[in-house]
Amino acid sequence: MAQAQALATHPTSNITPEKVREGIELEINGRQFRHTGDADMPLLWYLRDVLRLTGTKYGGEHGLGGADLVLVNNKAVSAITLPMHQVSGKKVTTVEGLAAVDGKLHPLQQAFVDEDAIGCGYCTPGWLIASLDLLNRHPHPGDNEIEQLPNLCRCGCQTRVRRAIKRAAAAIDGGRA
Ligand code: FES
């Protein structure tokens, strides 16, 4: 009796234990991961701070400029605006997942190198992801489609990026033939 009374008045008696988090499962660059932390954490911080996939860059809290784009189920999405609970069960591709396993660059990456479309490189991962999304929708994009991409480049590489995207489109098309 006395023991039950003591337990009821113990300072921890009215603490409700937090529910055990089951975790959020998702696929990133072909590998399975389970996030057991905050479900509202933006995907960008999970990629960069937890997995150390630092290719995807921070471009501001609203994702303007496209530096933080990743593919989610094959569509380009801003990783800073996407909480982890919204990527549960989805497939994410970051810039680190573009090259082949043997290290061979993706045709887009190769085209960016060949056209010298990289300045400081901060914007480049976002351009690559946005371009891949564009080529999935328009295998041969014109200037109009390319200009609608949300990406910005402070180094002024836009003209060379445009050439690189068209070069990659031709290379991918040639690879299909
Ligand atoms: S290459 Fe420097 S911001 Fe684009």
Side-chain angles (χ1 to χ4, degrees), residues 27-106:
E27 185 183 306
I28 300 173
N29 298 336
R31 290 180 58 198
Q32 289 296 324
F33 291 91
R34 191 156 170 266
H35 171 62
T36 53
D38 185 355
D40 289 327
M41 176 191 237
L43 173 62
L44 181 65
W45 301 140
Y46 183 66
L47 294 171
R48 289 185 59 86
D49 293 348
V50 180
L51 302 186
R52 308 303 295 161
L53 292 171
T54 54
T56 310
K57 300 293 189 276
Y58 177 67
E61 60 181 319
H62 302 298
L64 296 177
D68 68 331
L69 290 176
V70 295
L71 292 181
V72 176
N73 286 0
N74 259 341
K75 283 192 64 179
V77 183
S78 157
I80 190 70
T81 61
L82 200 59
M84 288 301 292
H85 64 85
Q86 284 187 20
V87 285
S88 178
K90 300 205 170 145
K91 290 185 181 188
V92 176
T93 305
T94 70
V95 68
E96 289 89 349
L98 297 189
V101 185
D102 64 2
K104 188 171 188 288
L105 294 181
H106 185 280

Side-chain angles (χ1 to χ4, degrees), residues 119-123 153-155 157:
C120 73
Y122 197 88
C123 69
C153 175
R154 293 186 191 282
C155 297
C157 296

